[in-house]
Amino acid sequence: MREDWVVDAPIVGRDYQPPCPDQVIENVLENVLHFLTARRDRNAVSLVCKSWYRAEAYTRSELFIGNCYAVSPRRATERFRRVYSVVIKGKPRFADFSLMPVNWGAHFTPWLSALAAAYPWLEKVYLKRMSITDDDLARLSLAFPSFKELTLVCCDGFGTSGLAILASKCRQLRVLDLIEDELNDDDDDDGADWISCFPADGTCLESLSFDCIEQQINFPALESLVARSPNLKKLRLNQFVSLEQLHRLIVRASQLTHLGTGSFSPSQNLAPPPGPGGNEPDYGPAFAACKSLVCLSGFREVVPLYLPVIYPVCENLTSLNFSYANLNAQELHSVISLCHKLRTLWVLDTVRDEGLKAVGATCKDLLELRVFPIDAREDSEGFVSEVGLLAIAQGCRKLRSILYFCQRMTNAAVIAMSKNCPDLVVFRLCIMGRHRPDHVTNEPMDKGFGAIVINCKKLTRLGISGLLTDEAFAYIGKYGKLVRTLSVAFAGDSDMALKYVLQGCSNLQKLEVRDSPFGDSALFAGLQHYYNMRFFWISSCKITLQNCRQIARTLPNMVLEVFTNMPVAVQDEDEFVDTLYMYRSLAGPRNDNPSYVRIL
Amino acid sequence: MSTEERRIVVLRSSDEEIFEVDIDVASESQTIKHSIEDDDSGRVIPVPNVDGHTLAKVIEYCKKHVETPRSDDRDAQDALRAWDTEYMKIDQNTLFELILAANYLNIKGLLDLTCQTVADMIKGKSPEEIRAMFNIKNDFTPQEEEDIRKENQWAFE
């Protein structure tokens, strides 16, 4: 065992005392903690002993706030001293469906004040469903000289003038990702020309996403920006960028890995009718030159005639977002049949069951599928059914996440998916028409969802729909032990349903319920569990104000908010509350609620 | 002295074991490197805090990392990482001795490797399990512990 450079080894033994682990680790604890980034691990470490608590608080570099109202900004910044990156989430998901009144809250401003005071070295901010103003953007630009990454998902309250300030002041900006935000000045004719505001001598930009901005941008300025951003890898354009313009951009940026194509249609003022040939550039070679492209999205006004230009990049694609692309089965097939490495696919239901069969046939490594409805109304035609779901179940055995909108479904297809795709972590089935049964057997959809919770042992997120009795909920309560997020709409017969879930799903964190016949006794069933949950949303059910007050008295650290989706005060005389949104909080009831949001 | 003659450095562990080591290998340790710079008379450099068994293991690491050229080649990087993984298949006592040695001898790569190993042991564990693993005394009162647990769960998870 000894190497040849050992010259002399003593024969005499000695007293060997093994080192004390706790003392050894104590010396290098910060170095060890450097390698622990997951917040579960960090939280566990903080509970080991006092010195570990202190070391962890000093070294946590990413601060995650799951509910902006669960803790005060002051308390968070006092505990953690060297934070470089912050994630804050505000409104619950149902806000996306216009179920919350305007100006409800989730303001970034108080957080910004605390962060600016505590972390002048802050580099990254990620906000989801928060309200951030132009003023906030301006203050952020000034407060953090090393600021590098801003990601805003489903946020509102700001506009292009805020972006202009950010672009001009944050000279080290690497990431500006605006994803499904609602900007203030969308209705104005001219917003600020923020694209022109980036540093003139070159930028550090690696990712720029603005597909949600519903306004023209200054294209020559964008062209110049791309040309002087050598590190740009991700570029997601909005629908006001035409194919010719896209072409001009990607010939200068063949190093792109992620591309949002904008409209993917020729501009309107092309003299001869659109079509390959003529005086249009040859788009094919430009795409073919993007050898690193792995993710494509956009296609906001796709002209399918031009789809062949993306064929050369299909074999390397791992992610394809066609959720804005009105394509039929054949058009999808022409692309998808080349995408053998695809792991994520978002499509519109216009591709029909036929299109999904093509997906099942080719995309053997598919991990995530989302099928969105082109027409989300309850009585819409619906272009996919159990046939498509079955095709996916048969072809994509590694599937982990599915979101599927349809109008017709059967238990058999859902059961098949539960057996073929045991790795499912997320199963969200939205049968859009209310209370629709299995359309072949006319039975409720209980058995299908039951099979999902029984067979998919890793399931953490579940969205249910269709005609469902209490039996479905009994299954979920009994088998859905890992379920953290549950979404229920137009389902169940009685309060027992909710009781099964609240008493059975021990890991339940987020529960959103709407338009179901659940009343006060159901709410009481969860008293033991509410402090373990991030939030509980229940709307258009049979909850009385009286009962809400009772719960508020019983659970002093629970914040109960009662409101409607309009800026109109809740009336005491109403039989039932429109919406109850409740969440645990260390900070007590907030004081920034508008008058029409009542806090009990 | 000529450069050729100075290629070897002699190290003596806490338990009197002698190691003849190439100067580049020994210089992976910033502590030893400074020792050599301060006094290049060629005498034996004592390493009083590290026993022979551990010092041999340290030298093994330094030798490998000096011999392996820096490369952007993916395969070469993977191979070195694989070697590091094999190297770290050691018992807990050796691990802790190695941490102490890497810290004292100021060998960044080895310190990071050993700390990463400890971090990997911590991942996914509960506070109770971590305490048991490293023999750490819980000095929180029950109330203090409960308050932190609650704050962690409600605010930061």
Side-chain angles (χ1 to χ4, degrees):
Chain A
M1 232 202 64
R2 283 281 189 264
E3 304 296 330
D4 54 10
W5 25 260
V6 177
V7 171
D8 186 8
I11 304 158
V12 59
R14 59 185 177 100
D15 293 314
Y16 176 65
Q17 301 214 318
C20 297
D22 57 331
Q23 286 170 19
V24 174
I25 308 265
E26 193 79 28
N27 287 336
V28 296
L29 187 53
E30 285 188 18
N31 200 333
V32 170
L33 293 182
H34 172 74
F35 295 104
L36 283 174
T37 50
R39 52 184 186 269
R40 280 265 160 91
D41 291 331
R42 289 224 149 235
N43 287 343
V45 160
S46 72
L47 281 163
V48 168
C49 68
K50 289 182 181 174
S51 63
W52 281 50
Y53 174 92
R54 281 191 295 270
E56 195 285 311
Y58 191 72
T59 56
R60 187 179 297 212
S61 61
E62 181 180 288
L63 183 60
F64 174 87
I65 307 288
N67 176 355
C68 64
Y69 288 123
V71 66
S72 72
R74 172 83 124 18
R75 187 160 172 170
T77 56
E78 276 179 358
R79 175 169 167 184
F80 301 109
R81 300 302 201 155
R82 301 286 307 181
V83 168
Y84 286 83
S85 166
V86 169
V87 175
I88 308 178
K89 298 189 177 183
K91 297 175 211 165
R93 196 180 69 95
F94 272 0
D96 295 350
F97 306 104
S98 307
L99 292 179
M100 285 191 119
V102 68
N103 214 30
W104 172 83
H107 301 290
F108 182 50
T109 312
W111 281 96
L112 178 56
S113 301
L115 296 173
Y119 314 130
W121 48 77
L122 194 71
E123 295 182 356
K124 303 186 196 179
V125 169
Y126 175 110
L127 303 181
K128 187 165 186 181
R129 298 199 182 94
M130 298 281 295
S131 281
I132 171 170
T133 64
D134 284 341
D135 232 35
D136 289 335
L137 287 172
R139 284 178 62 208
L140 186 149
S141 312
L142 293 174
F144 307 121
S146 307
F147 195 71
K148 297 189 167 65
E149 300 189 13
L150 181 66
T151 306
L152 302 177
V153 179
C154 299
C155 294
D156 61 18
F158 67 101
T160 49
S161 34
L163 295 178
I165 302 177
L166 190 84
S168 72
K169 295 275 187 284
C170 296
R171 304 192 64 82
Q172 295 191 43
L173 199 65
R174 291 194 297 229
V175 172
L176 178 58
D177 284 345
L178 307 170
I179 300 168
E180 290 179 56
D181 304 308
E182 226 179 275
L183 273 72
N184 271 349
D185 49 17
D186 279 347
D187 295 335
D188 296 354
D189 277 6
D190 11 319
D193 183 9
W194 60 282
I195 288 279
S196 301
C197 295
F198 287 94
D201 50 353
T203 81
C204 312
L205 280 176
E206 294 172 15
S207 178
L208 178 63
S209 306
F210 60 93
D211 30 8
C212 60
I213 294 189
E214 304 201 336
Q215 266 187 4
Q216 293 279 1
I217 42 104
N218 179 341
F219 184 74
L222 178 60
E223 223 181 324
S224 158
L225 177 62
V226 170
R228 66 184 193 278
S229 303
N231 298 332
L232 196 64
K233 289 284 190 326
K234 304 183 187 182
L235 179 63
R236 292 174 173 115
L237 309 164
N238 70 1
Q239 75 239 47
F240 292 92
V241 177
S242 70
L243 254 180
E244 300 88 44
Q245 289 174 328
L246 174 65
H247 180 257
R248 293 176 69 89
L249 293 176
I250 62 176
V251 295
R252 294 168 176 282
S254 56
Q255 78 279 6
L256 288 176
T257 58
H258 294 58
L259 176 65
T261 63
S263 67
F264 207 80
S265 80
S267 73
Q268 299 308 309
N269 48 25
L270 213 59
N279 62 357
E280 273 191 294
D282 189 2
Y283 301 121
F287 271 93
C290 295
K291 301 212 179 300
S292 310
L293 216 50
V294 291
C295 175
L296 268 185
S297 60
F299 305 99
R300 307 279 281 209
E301 287 154 14
V302 65
V303 171
L305 203 56
Y306 291 93
L307 279 179
V309 312
I310 68 169
Y311 290 171
V313 299
C314 286
E315 62 171 325
N316 286 327
L317 282 186
T318 56
S319 174
L320 179 57
N321 182 349
F322 270 154
S323 64
Y324 287 97
N326 187 335
L327 299 173
N328 63 29
Q330 178 50 39
E331 287 153 356
L332 177 70
H333 180 271
S334 71
V335 172
I336 226 63
S337 55
L338 304 170
C339 298
H340 296 272
K341 292 189 188 164
L342 212 60
R343 294 203 290 264
T344 301
L345 175 64
W346 293 16
V347 288
L348 276 181
D349 63 355
T350 54
V351 304
R352 295 183 184 256
D353 292 328
E354 279 307 303
L356 296 178
K357 283 184 186 168
V359 174
T362 317
C363 305
K364 298 303 178 190
D365 290 337
L366 200 70
L367 298 179
E368 176 180 324
L369 174 67
R370 297 194 191 190
V371 181
F372 294 98
I374 190 159
D375 180 354
R377 290 171 305 166
E378 271 178 60
D379 53 354
S380 66
E381 192 187 322
F383 298 110
V384 297
S385 71
E386 75 277 5
V387 173
L389 192 73
L390 205 48
I392 297 295
Q394 281 162 355
C396 307
R397 301 295 179 108
K398 300 183 189 175
L399 202 66
R400 292 196 198 150
S401 172
I402 183 163
L403 170 63
Y404 197 89
F405 283 85
C406 60
Q407 290 287 23
R408 296 186 311 288
M409 186 48 61
T410 62
N411 282 307
V414 177
I415 293 171
M417 176 157 273
S418 78
K419 292 185 177 158
N420 283 12
C421 306
D423 290 337
L424 275 176
V425 173
V426 174
F427 184 82
R428 299 158 70 193
L429 177 61
C430 299
I431 306 170
M432 292 181 284
R434 293 179 201 202
H435 309 128
R436 296 241 171 129
D438 176 325
H439 81 97
V440 166
T441 66
N442 239 11
E443 285 176 357
M445 290 298 299
D446 300 337
K447 292 265 182 313
F449 285 104
I452 291 286
V453 286
I454 292 172
N455 296 331
C456 302
K457 307 213 194 298
K458 304 179 190 175
L459 197 76
T460 60
R461 183 169 180 181
L462 182 61
I464 65 179
S465 59
L467 180 66
L468 292 168
T469 71
D470 290 349
E471 186 182 325
F473 294 86
Y475 283 129
I476 296 171
K478 183 169 179 193
Y479 295 101
K481 295 304 178 191
L482 293 185
V483 171
R484 291 205 299 264
T485 306
L486 179 63
S487 190
V488 179
F490 305 105
D493 293 331
S494 75
D495 289 358
M496 278 314 296
L498 207 49
K499 285 184 189 177
Y500 288 135
V501 164
L502 287 169
Q503 288 170 350
C505 297
S506 41
N507 276 306
L508 194 61
Q509 293 284 296
K510 300 187 263 188
L511 179 58
E512 32 184 54
V513 177
R514 55 174 293 195
D515 295 281
S516 303
F518 305 136
D520 293 341
S521 78
L523 224 56
F524 267 105
L527 280 180
Q528 308 298 343
H529 193 69
Y530 293 139
Y531 279 154
N532 295 332
M533 289 171 63
R534 195 185 288 175
F535 72 78
F536 181 10
W537 167 295
I538 178 162
S539 60
S540 304
C541 296
K542 298 182 175 163
I543 311 294
T544 64
L545 190 57
Q546 169 98 319
N547 184 43
C548 294
R549 286 206 185 99
Q550 173 70 358
I551 301 216
R553 278 193 291 271
T554 315
L555 299 176
N557 291 125
M558 214 66 201
V559 175
L560 276 84
E561 301 196 8
V562 171
F563 49 83
T564 73
N565 70 338
M566 301 298 290
V568 171
V570 169
Q571 304 297 326
D572 281 20
E573 321 79 57
D574 287 343
E575 193 188 1
F576 299 126
V577 306
D578 210 85
T579 302
L580 166 66
Y581 174 54
M582 61 189 215
Y583 51 91
R584 65 198 171 184
S585 175
L586 297 167
R590 60 189 176 113
N591 53 14
D592 65 351
N593 52 310
S595 57
Y596 43 83
V597 173
R598 202 194 294 200
I599 301 188
L600 301 176
Chain B
M1 286 195 207
S2 73
T3 325
E4 280 76 20
E5 285 169 40
R6 291 205 39 217
R7 274 191 59 248
I8 300 293
V9 157
V10 182
L11 306 174
R12 185 176 66 227
S13 71
S14 62
D15 49 354
E16 314 285 313
E17 258 189 81
I18 300 292
F19 298 85
E20 283 186 358
V21 181
D22 193 289
I23 196 172
D24 290 336
V25 172
S27 300
E28 285 284 285
S29 155
Q30 294 300 307
T31 310
I32 293 178
K33 185 166 181 227
H34 293 143
S35 246
I36 297 170
E37 283 163 1
D38 286 346
D39 171 13
D40 63 359
S41 62
R43 280 196 290 264
V44 174
I45 296 177
V47 189
N49 294 23
V50 185
D51 69 25
H53 173 257
T54 309
L55 191 52
K57 191 79 180 158
V58 169
I59 291 169
E60 188 191 341
Y61 175 90
C62 296
K63 224 169 170 266
K64 176 68 179 179
H65 280 252
V66 163
E67 281 166 7
T68 308
R70 285 210 163 279
S71 164
D72 285 334
D73 177 46
R74 203 50 172 316
D75 288 337
Q77 286 175 359
D78 287 347
L80 189 57
R81 257 192 290 272
W83 187 92
D84 282 350
T85 306
E86 270 309 301
Y87 172 84
M88 287 306 294
K89 288 185 180 168
I90 48 182
D91 60 82
Q92 269 212 12
N93 280 336
T94 309
L95 172 62
F96 294 127
E97 296 276 19
L98 219 47
I99 292 175
L100 287 172
N103 199 17
Y104 168 69
L105 291 171
N106 198 347
I107 306 171
K108 184 174 190 321
L110 184 57
L111 188 58
D112 283 348
L113 180 59
T114 49
C115 287
Q116 167 84 76
T117 303
V118 173
D120 290 343
M121 289 162 67
I122 291 175
K123 282 177 190 169
K125 302 280 194 302
S126 70
E128 294 76 21
E129 286 168 326
I130 299 171
R131 287 185 207 126
M133 210 158 39
F134 302 117
N135 202 17
I136 299 173
K137 186 173 181 310
N138 178 3
D139 57 355
F140 290 122
T141 67
Q143 186 60 54
E144 282 169 340
E145 195 174 336
E146 181 49 40
D147 287 345
I148 297 171
R149 208 176 282 272
K150 184 166 152 184
E151 185 176 278
N152 285 350
Q153 195 196 8
W154 290 27
F156 305 121
E157 206 159 273

